[in-house]
Amino acid sequence: MAIAIRKSKKAETGWKRNPQNTLPSLAENYLGSIPTDLLSTLPSIDISTVHPLTMDENIGLSLGIEQFNRQDFYACHDTLEAVWLEANPTEKNFYQGILQIAVAHYHLGNHNWRGAVTLLGEGIRRLKGFRPDHREVDIESLFRSSVLLLENLQTITPENLPQWLESAAAEQLTPQIEIKSK
């Protein structure tokens, strides 16, 4: 059994593992006060000994790309992070590069210029060696659109990001990852 602990969407900090948490305390955090008779039926486990969820790479990649393409960047990050954690060392940069570009777009949506610029740069750097395509993913297109977005963001100041976003071309703000046919 694997348990992933997630802070509230309000905190926006992603997945966390906390060895102090037990199933009853997690349930209470998410559900509010739990009646004592029900609380006593929940097992007390130390989740620091639980292994993370594993995800088939192909399923995880497909799901992550689908989430990216519908601009659900937060979910894309979580999906690809699960795959990245289990990936072999040569594939790690591939998954991390895509998820960093997804998080950069998430930061753009929150008007976080610094986060967007930093993660675009990191994602681009990680994907460079996987061009033009890898695992049937058109990396070249994602790479080029990310480089163009980064160059444009570097021409403005963080304070001007909201105005820039209003005038930016739609394709810059709604990137798509293409799958190449066999």
Side-chain angles (χ1 to χ4, degrees):
M1 177 176 171
I3 298 174
I5 303 161
R6 185 179 176 128
K7 284 192 167 188
S8 70
K9 278 292 252 184
K10 199 177 222 180
E12 303 292 352
T13 57
W15 295 96
K16 289 272 187 185
R17 290 174 137 303
N18 183 342
Q20 275 43 41
N21 285 331
T22 62
L23 191 55
S25 66
L26 289 173
E28 191 159 338
N29 286 340
Y30 283 96
L31 302 174
S33 182
I34 300 174
T36 309
D37 58 330
L38 178 59
L39 191 58
S40 65
T41 65
L42 294 174
S44 181
I45 60 171
D46 175 4
I47 65 163
S48 65
T49 63
V50 177
H51 297 289
L53 295 170
T54 58
M55 182 178 293
D56 175 84
E57 280 189 59
N58 293 324
I59 293 170
L61 179 59
S62 295
L63 178 58
I65 289 172
E66 179 184 313
Q67 292 163 332
F68 186 101
N69 286 345
R70 67 174 189 256
Q71 281 74 54
D72 192 353
F73 299 119
Y74 193 90
C76 174
H77 166 270
D78 288 345
T79 298
L80 292 181
E81 184 177 58
V83 176
W84 168 71
L85 288 170
E86 298 294 320
N88 71 52
T90 59
E91 294 291 295
K92 284 192 179 282
N93 278 337
F94 171 70
Y95 295 112
Q96 194 171 17
I98 295 171
L99 77 85
Q100 286 178 320
I101 290 172
V103 175
H105 283 277
Y106 177 80
H107 284 309
L108 273 181
N110 290 317
H111 296 179
N112 178 352
W113 180 90
R114 185 173 313 285
V117 167
T118 300
L119 286 166
L120 274 171
E122 284 297 312
I124 290 165
R125 182 182 61 81
R126 289 182 193 283
L127 289 179
K128 188 180 283 188
F130 294 99
R131 294 167 38 206
D133 56 80
H134 184 72
R135 295 188 62 131
E136 299 180 32
V137 177
D138 181 358
I139 295 300
E140 187 65 31
S141 177
L142 178 62
F143 183 87
R144 286 181 186 211
S145 66
S146 297
V147 166
L148 178 61
L149 177 58
L150 179 60
E151 289 171 348
N152 285 323
L153 288 172
Q154 290 174 330
T155 66
I156 64 169
T157 63
E159 302 80 39
N160 292 331
L161 181 60
Q163 295 84 7
W164 183 86
L165 288 170
E166 288 179 19
S167 65
E171 59 271 3
Q172 282 195 314
L173 303 178
T174 56
Q176 296 290 296
I177 297 176
E178 301 295 325
I179 303 296
K180 294 192 167 225
S181 301
K182 284 186 176 184

